[in-house]
C-alpha cells in the first residue's frame, strides 16, 4: 500500500480548518490584487501597501488565535486583518472611504482596526505598534487574562528604537507577547542585509534573553508550528518569543515604486518557485486532506466573497461632513 | 527665465551646495536609488555616491542624533525625514540636543544641520502622514523654522538653511512639490527671516504660510473682482520671523487675516496675532484679527472630510469679507 505524506503539524488542526486557511490565503491575495487595480484606476485614493506573496505569515500566525487574543498590525496590514477574522466588505468599504468601513472612512488602508476581533489596529508609523503590543500583554498579565498578543512588524521596523525598547521590557517582565517579524527582505528600498548586520533578525533575540526562531514564511505549516509554540510558551507565563518569518512582497513598497533596488529575476524566482498558496495546495493534496475540486471550491468562495465585498463597498454611503468633528475625544 | 518645480528646486539647492562643500551631505531613509519617498533626491546618488547620499535604516531618532553629532564635529548634514509626522520620534535629539548644545556649553560648538521634511495634508494618507506640526518646533529656542511656498523660495531658503550654523527645520509641502515657478540657474540665497509680499493690496492683509499662500492668492484674485484689494504676506520663515514686514502691511491695510493649514488651536497664527496685538500696528486695526486654521481633528482619510479639515479658498474669501464688515469698537 502506498504511504501518503502527512503534514508535520504540531497543533491539532482539523481538515476543515486547514481548508478554511487555504481559502483565507486566497481571500488575502484577492483583496490586495483588487486594491492594486482600484488604485491604478483611481478608484481608491491615498496610499496603500500590499502583501501579495505574504499570505502564509498572516494566515499562519493567526491560525490558532481566538477572538480574545490580540494582534497589532502594520502599514501592510490587510492580510493581518483578514486573518484575524476581519470582514473584507467592511475593509473594502474603509478603503473606499465609506461610513460602513471599519473606521467610518476616517482611517483608510493603513489604519484598519477591529477591536471586537482582537485586532488592535494597523499603524502608519513604522515600529509604532510594537510597544503597543507590549502594553496589551501587560494588561493580560496584570488582569490575569489568558490572551496572548501577536505583534506583527517588518524587518525594517526592527531597526527602530521602539522595537528594542519594547522587546526588552517584554522580556524582563515575561509578558505574553509574540514578536512576529515578517521579513520580506526590504524596508521600502533598503535590503535587510544593508540595513542590519546580523544574519537573521531573530538573532537579536539573544540580546534580550528570549528565544529567537527563524521559519520559512512562505510555508504556512512552519509558521503555524512556530507561532503555536510561542503562544503556548507565552500562555504558560514564560515570556515572549521573537519569530522571524522569511518571505517576500511581490509588489512594490507602495503605489509609486519603480523597484530599482531589486532585480526582476529575483521577483520572478519568488513568484514562480516560492508561492505560499501554491505550496500549501501541494501539501494539502499530497497529504490527502483535500481534493483538487474541494480546493477549487474554496478558491471560488474566496472570489465570491471579494466580489460581494466590492459591491457592498461601492454601494455604501459617504460620510457626511458632520463626521469631521466626531470621534476626536471619547 | 526657466521654470522648475519646487521639488527640483530643493534638489538643485542641495546639489549646488554639495558640489561646493565636501562637508555637506544628505542622510535619510530610501534617499539612494529610490530617490526619497517623494523623489526629491532622485539621481543624486549617481552624482555624489552612497557615502554622501547616505541611506539609513528606519531609525529616525538615530538619524537625527547622528546629524547632531556630525554637525557638532564639523560636517553640515542635511537629514530627510520621510514625513514630518515622524519628527515625533526624532524630537528628543532635535529639541533636547540640537537646539540646546551650543547654549548649554556656553557658546562652544555649533550644530549646523538641516532637517528637511514634507508636511501637510491632501494626499489621502490619513492621520499619521498628514500633519502640520511646525508650531511645535517654533516653541523651542535654538531652532530655526522655514516654510517655503514656491520653488524660487525653496531654492534660496534651502541654501540659507545649509549655510546657517544652527539647526534649521525646513518644511516642504507635499502638494507643492509639483508646482512650478521661475528659478534662476545660478545660486542665490534668501536670508532666513525675510518675509515676502506675494501680492500688494490696500484693504486687508492676509498672512499665509506654505500651501495657504496659494489659496490666499486665489482668494485675493476672487476678491479683486468685488473691488477688494488684498495684500498677501508670506513670512517664509517662522523663526526668525520678519515682524517688520507684517506690521507694516497691517498698519497700511488696517485689517489682518492669518491662515495656516495646521490646527488653529495652538497654531502659529496665534503667535502672529499676538505679535500684532503687542505692536504699534494694533492701533491701526479697524477690526478684530481673524485666524483661520485646521479644524481640531486628526486629518481624516475620506477625501471630502480631508478637504473640510483645512481652510479652503471660500473660507478665506468669507473671512476677509467678515473682517472688512466688522468695525472695530470706536476708540
Ligand atoms: C516612523 C516611520 N518611518 C518611516 C516610515 C515610512 N515607511 C513606511 S513603510 C516603510 C518600510 C517598512 O519596512 P518594514 O518594516 O520592513 O515593513 P514592510 O514594508 O517591508 O512590510 C517605511 C520606511 C513610516 N511610515 N514610519
Amino acid at each position: 500500500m502506498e504511504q501518503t505524506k502527512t503534514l508535520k503539524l504540531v497543533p491539532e488542526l482539523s481538515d476543515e480548518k486547514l481548508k478554511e486557511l487555504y481559502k483565507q490565503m486566497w481571500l488575502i491575495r484577492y483583496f490586495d490584487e483588487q486594491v492594486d487595480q482600484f488604485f491604478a484606476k483611481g478608484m481608491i485614493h491615498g496610499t496603500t501597501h500590499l502583501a501579495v506573496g505574504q499570505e502564509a505569515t498572516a494566515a499562519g500566525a493567526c491560525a490558532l488565535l481566538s477572538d480574545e487574543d490580540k494582534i497589532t498590525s502594520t502599514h501592510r496590514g490587510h492580510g493581518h486583518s483578514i486573518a484575524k477574522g476581519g470582514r473584507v466588505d467592511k475593509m473594502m468599504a474603509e478603503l473606499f472611504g465609506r461610513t460602513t468601513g471599519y473606521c467610518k472612512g476616517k482611517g483608510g488602508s493603513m489604519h484598519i482596526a477591529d477591536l471586537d476581533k482582537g485586532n488592535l489596529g494597523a499603524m502608519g508609523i513604522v515600529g509604532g505598534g510594537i510597544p503597543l503590543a507590549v502594553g496589551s500583554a501587560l494588561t493580560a498579565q496584570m488582569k490575569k487574562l489568558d490572551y496572548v498578543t501577536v505583534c506583527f512588524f517588518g524587518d525594517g521596523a526592527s531597526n527602530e528604537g521602539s522595537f528594542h525598547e519594547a522587546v526588552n521590557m517584554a522580556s524582563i517582565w515575561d509578558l505574553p507577547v509574540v514578536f512576529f517579524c515578517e521579513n520580506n527582505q526590504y524596508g521600502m528600498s533598503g535590503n535587510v542585509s544593508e540595513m542590519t548586520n546580523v544574519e537573521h533578525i531573530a538573532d537579536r533575540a539573544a540580546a534580550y534573553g528570549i528565544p529567537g526562531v527563524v521559519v520559512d514564511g512562505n510555508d504556512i505549516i512552519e509558521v503555524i508550528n512556530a507561532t503555536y509554540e510561542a503562544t503556548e510558551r507565552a500562555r504558560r507565563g514564560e515570556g515572549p518569543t521573537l519569530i522571524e518569518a522569511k518571505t517576500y512582497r511581490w509588489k512594490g513598497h507602495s503605489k509609486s515604486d519603480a523597484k530599482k533596488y531589486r532585480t526582476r529575476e529575483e521577483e520572478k524566482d519568488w513568484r514562480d518557485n516560492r508561492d505560499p498558496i501554491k505550496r500549501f495546495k501541494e501539501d494539502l493534496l499530497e497529504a490527502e486532506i483535500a481534493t483538487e475540486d474541494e480546493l477549487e471550491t474554496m478558491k471560488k468562495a474566496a472570489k465570491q466573497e471579494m466580489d460581494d465585498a466590492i459591491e457592498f463597498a461601492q454601494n455604501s454611503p459617504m460620510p457626511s461632513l458632520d463626521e469631521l468633528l466626531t470621534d476626536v475625544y471619547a | 527665465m526657466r521654470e522648475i518645480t519646487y521639488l527640483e528646486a530643493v534638489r538643485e539647492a542641495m546639489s549646488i551646495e554639495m558640489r561646493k562643500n565636501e562637508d555637506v551631505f544628505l542622510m535619510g531613509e530610501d534617499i539612494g536609488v529610490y530617490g526619497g519617498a517623494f523623489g526629491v533626491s532622485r539621481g543624486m546618488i549617481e552624482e555624489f555616491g552612497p557615502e554622501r547620499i547616505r541611506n539609513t535604516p528606519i531609525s529616525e531618532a538615530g538619524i537625527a542624533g547622528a546629524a547632531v553629532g556630525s554637525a557638532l564635529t564639523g560636517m553640515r548634514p542635511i537629514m530627510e525625514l520621510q514625513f514630518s509626522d515622524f519628527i515625533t520620534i526624532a524630537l528628543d535629539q532635535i529639541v533636547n540636543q540640537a537646539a540646546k548644545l551650543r547654549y548649554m556649553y556656553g557658546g562652544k560648538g555649533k550644530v549646523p544641520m538641516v532637517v528637511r521634511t514634507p508636511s501637510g495634508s491632501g494626499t489621502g494618507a490619513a492621520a499619521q502622514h498628514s500633519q502640520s506640526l511646525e508650531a511645535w518646533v517654533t516653541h523651542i529656542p535654538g531652532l530655526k523654522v522655514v516654510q517655503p511656498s514656491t520653488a524660487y523660495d525653496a531654492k534660496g531658503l534651502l541654501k540659507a538653511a545649509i549655510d546657517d550654523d544652527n539647526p534649521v527645520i525646513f518644511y516642504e509641502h507635499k502638494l507643492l512639490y509639483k508646482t512650478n515657478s521661475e528659478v534662476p540657474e545660478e545660486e542665490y540665497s534668501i536670508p532666513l527671516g525675510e518675509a515676502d509680499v506675494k501680492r500688494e493690496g490696500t484693504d486687508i492683509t492676509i498672512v499665509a504660510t506654505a500651501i495657504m499662500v496659494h489659496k490666499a492668492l486665489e482668494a485675493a484674485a476672487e476678491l479683486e473682482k468685488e473691488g477688494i484689494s488684498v495684500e498677501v504676506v508670506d513670512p517664509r520663515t517662522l523663526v526668525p520671523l520678519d515682524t517688520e514686514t507684517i506690521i507694516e502691511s497691517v498698519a497700511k491695510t488696517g485689517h489682518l487675516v492669518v491662515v495656516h493649514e495646521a490646527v488653529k488651536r495652538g497654531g502659529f497664527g496665534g503667535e502672529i496675532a499676538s505679535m500684532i496685538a503687542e505692536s504699534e500696528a494694533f492701533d491701526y486695526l479697524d477690526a478684530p484679527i481673524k485666524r483661520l486654521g485646521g479644524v481640531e481633528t486628526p486629518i481624516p482619510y475620506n477625501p471630502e472630510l480631508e478637504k473640510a479639515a483645512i481652510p479652503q479658498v471660500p473660507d478665506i474669501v468669507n473671512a476677509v469679507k467678515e473682517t472688512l464688515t466688522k468695525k472695530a469698537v470706536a476708540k
Side-chain angles (χ1 to χ4, degrees):
Chain A
M1 212 177 81
E2 217 180 305
Q3 192 98 35
T4 54
K5 250 174 87 179
T6 54
L7 289 185
K8 292 203 190 71
L9 262 175
V10 180
E12 293 271 329
L13 281 184
S14 69
D15 289 0
E16 280 321 301
K17 175 75 190 175
L18 289 167
K19 281 183 252 181
E20 271 303 315
L21 284 173
Y22 179 76
K23 176 186 159 196
Q24 191 177 77
M25 286 169 82
W26 272 112
L27 200 54
I28 295 171
R29 179 161 299 177
Y30 282 139
F31 188 89
D32 271 0
E33 280 180 343
Q34 207 41 259
V35 172
D36 203 17
Q37 283 182 24
F38 287 154
F39 255 95
K41 290 187 195 148
M43 291 165 69
I44 295 180
H45 78 301
T47 187
T48 194
H49 310 83
L50 307 176
V52 179
Q54 301 184 195
E55 296 84 2
T57 47
C62 295
L64 288 157
L65 302 183
S66 73
D67 287 356
E68 277 66 50
D69 292 320
K70 317 277 186 235
I71 63 162
T72 61
S73 175
T74 69
H75 58 286
R76 201 177 301 287
H78 303 157
H80 307 147
S81 174
I82 293 170
K84 197 64 179 62
R87 284 171 43 180
V88 283
D89 54 354
K90 296 183 74 171
M91 288 173 59
M92 196 53 92
E94 186 57 35
L95 269 71
F96 275 81
R98 309 296 164 110
T99 47
T100 51
Y102 267 116
C103 318
K104 300 191 235 167
K106 290 176 169 178
S109 161
M110 269 193 294
H111 305 298
I112 292 171
D114 184 4
L115 300 183
D116 297 335
K117 288 276 181 188
N119 177 0
L120 300 181
M123 218 43 80
I125 303 294
V126 168
I130 311 177
L132 209 142
V134 169
S136 163
L138 186 61
T139 301
Q141 189 185 61
M142 293 179 79
K143 290 190 178 245
K144 301 193 175 28
L145 302 169
D146 61 7
Y147 70 79
V148 294
T149 304
V150 174
C151 169
F152 289 105
F153 59 98
D155 44 291
S158 78
N159 295 321
E160 288 278 18
S162 58
F163 165 81
H164 300 278
E165 297 179 25
V167 177
N168 187 53
M169 280 167 78
S171 167
I172 57 172
W173 294 337
D174 291 325
L175 295 180
V177 54
V178 177
F179 297 104
F180 193 98
C181 178
E182 290 178 299
N183 178 355
N184 61 12
Q185 323 289 328
Y186 295 92
M188 219 154 150
S189 69
N191 183 275
V192 65
S193 66
E194 292 160 15
M195 292 302 163
T196 70
N197 218 355
V198 283
E199 191 184 350
H200 306 293
I201 303 289
D203 293 347
R204 292 178 162 178
Y208 306 105
I210 63 168
V213 183
V214 179
V215 297
D216 179 344
N218 282 12
D219 181 349
I220 190 170
I221 305 299
E222 274 196 37
V223 175
I224 293 172
N225 286 342
T227 314
Y228 176 71
E229 277 176 18
T231 52
E232 285 302 293
R233 179 183 142 84
R235 288 187 215 278
R236 286 194 305 268
E238 292 169 21
T241 303
L242 171 58
I243 298 175
E244 176 188 6
K246 310 267 192 194
T247 181
Y248 199 79
R249 65 165 152 76
W250 288 8
K251 309 256 177 193
H253 166 71
S254 62
K255 59 177 178 177
S256 52
D257 179 359
K259 298 184 289 179
K260 277 201 253 171
Y261 48 84
R262 67 188 196 192
T263 64
R264 299 298 86 93
E265 292 75 53
E266 177 185 298
E267 289 175 0
K268 188 168 161 20
D269 177 44
W270 280 88
R271 269 173 206 263
D272 294 354
N273 305 322
R274 304 189 224 185
D275 179 344
I277 301 186
K278 204 168 132 205
R279 181 183 301 182
F280 191 35
K281 179 179 175 181
E282 283 161 9
D283 284 346
L284 291 173
L285 291 175
E286 262 182 58
E288 293 183 359
I289 286 168
T291 64
E292 189 85 50
D293 277 353
E294 283 176 309
L295 294 182
E296 198 49 34
T297 307
M298 288 316 221
K299 183 178 168 184
K300 285 210 176 100
K303 181 80 179 61
Q304 186 60 50
E305 206 170 318
M306 265 322 300
D307 290 346
D308 295 345
I310 292 160
E311 205 179 310
F312 173 82
Q314 283 181 318
N315 293 330
S316 290
M318 285 288 182
S320 82
L321 285 185
D322 304 337
E323 277 294 320
L324 183 58
L325 290 166
T326 62
D327 304 321
V328 179
Y329 296 101
Chain B
M1 200 191 294
R2 94 193 150 135
E3 290 201 350
I4 59 171
T5 63
Y6 185 98
L7 183 149
E8 288 161 342
V10 172
R11 181 192 301 147
E12 191 165 283
M14 287 196 288
S15 300
I16 291 175
E17 295 310 306
M18 284 182 65
R19 277 174 212 136
K20 266 192 341 204
N21 186 347
E22 283 287 314
D23 295 341
V24 180
F25 72 104
L26 178 65
M27 174 166 57
E29 295 162 16
D30 306 289
I31 58 165
V33 286
Y34 197 92
F38 290 86
V40 178
S41 55
R42 204 160 283 158
M44 288 181 72
I45 193 163
E46 278 83 3
E47 178 176 354
F48 299 103
E51 183 99 350
R52 296 179 74 204
I53 302 295
R54 185 170 287 261
N55 243 353
T56 65
I58 310 172
S59 309
E60 291 77 14
I63 301 163
V68 177
S70 67
L72 188 66
T73 48
M75 300 298 285
R76 303 189 84 84
I78 305 170
M79 63 170 273
E80 177 176 295
L81 259 184
Q82 224 162 56
F83 284 82
S84 75
D85 311 65
F86 312 156
I87 202 168
T88 51
I89 304 171
L91 218 43
D92 169 56
Q93 297 295 333
I94 293 171
V95 172
N96 292 323
Q97 333 280 344
K100 307 282 196 292
L101 293 187
R102 181 176 172 82
Y103 188 82
M104 295 188 318
Y105 299 164
K108 279 195 286 286
K110 56 184 189 188
V111 185
M113 62 184 269
V114 180
V115 182
R116 282 187 38 243
T117 190
S119 76
S121 66
T123 65
Q128 296 177 330
H129 286 73
S130 306
Q131 296 168 89
S132 301
L133 299 174
E134 63 273 6
W136 285 16
V137 275
T138 66
H139 191 69
I140 307 299
L143 300 177
K144 296 190 179 178
V145 183
V146 184
Q147 267 192 307
S149 67
T150 65
Y152 178 85
D153 289 353
K155 181 172 170 185
L157 288 165
L158 185 53
K159 174 176 168 47
I162 295 168
D163 286 344
D164 201 285
D165 277 340
N166 298 284
V168 180
I169 319 292
F170 193 87
Y171 284 103
E172 296 160 15
H173 197 289
K174 299 176 192 102
L175 295 190
L176 292 178
Y177 276 138
K178 289 186 178 156
T179 60
N180 274 44
S181 65
E182 287 192 348
V183 178
E185 272 174 64
E186 60 275 16
E187 102 178 51
Y188 60 91
S189 183
I190 298 174
L192 304 185
E194 247 181 40
D196 187 34
V197 178
K198 288 278 189 273
R199 176 193 169 108
E200 292 194 18
T202 49
D203 296 333
I204 187 164
T205 300
I206 300 179
V207 173
T209 56
I211 199 158
M212 290 302 154
V213 172
H214 301 273
K215 295 200 169 158
L217 289 170
E218 265 184 65
E222 258 179 54
L223 287 158
E224 188 178 31
K225 293 180 206 147
E226 301 181 34
I228 299 169
S229 165
V230 178
E231 179 145 307
V232 177
V233 181
D234 174 3
R236 298 195 290 200
T237 56
L238 304 185
V239 181
L241 181 66
D242 178 357
T243 53
E244 212 173 294
T245 302
I246 300 171
I247 290 170
E248 256 173 43
S249 175
V250 174
K252 177 172 82 176
T253 64
H255 297 93
L256 175 61
V257 172
V258 187
V259 198
H260 56 60
E261 175 172 352
V263 168
K264 178 176 160 184
R265 181 181 62 214
F268 197 72
E271 182 59 33
I272 292 177
S274 332
M275 183 276 288
I276 287 296
E278 284 176 343
S279 80
E280 66 274 19
F282 185 67
D283 295 329
Y284 293 89
L285 280 181
D286 292 329
I289 299 166
K290 177 104 188 149
R291 281 185 297 151
L292 281 184
V295 172
E296 274 94 21
T297 67
I299 299 292
Y301 167 75
N302 176 281
E304 291 308 314
L305 293 184
E306 185 181 26
K307 248 185 253 155
I310 66 163
Q312 301 296 341
V313 175
D315 302 319
I316 303 175
V317 169
N318 288 341
V320 165
K321 287 184 182 168
E322 233 176 74
T323 304
L324 286 176
T325 49
K326 248 184 216 161
K327 282 271 163 285
V329 182
K331 280 165 239 158

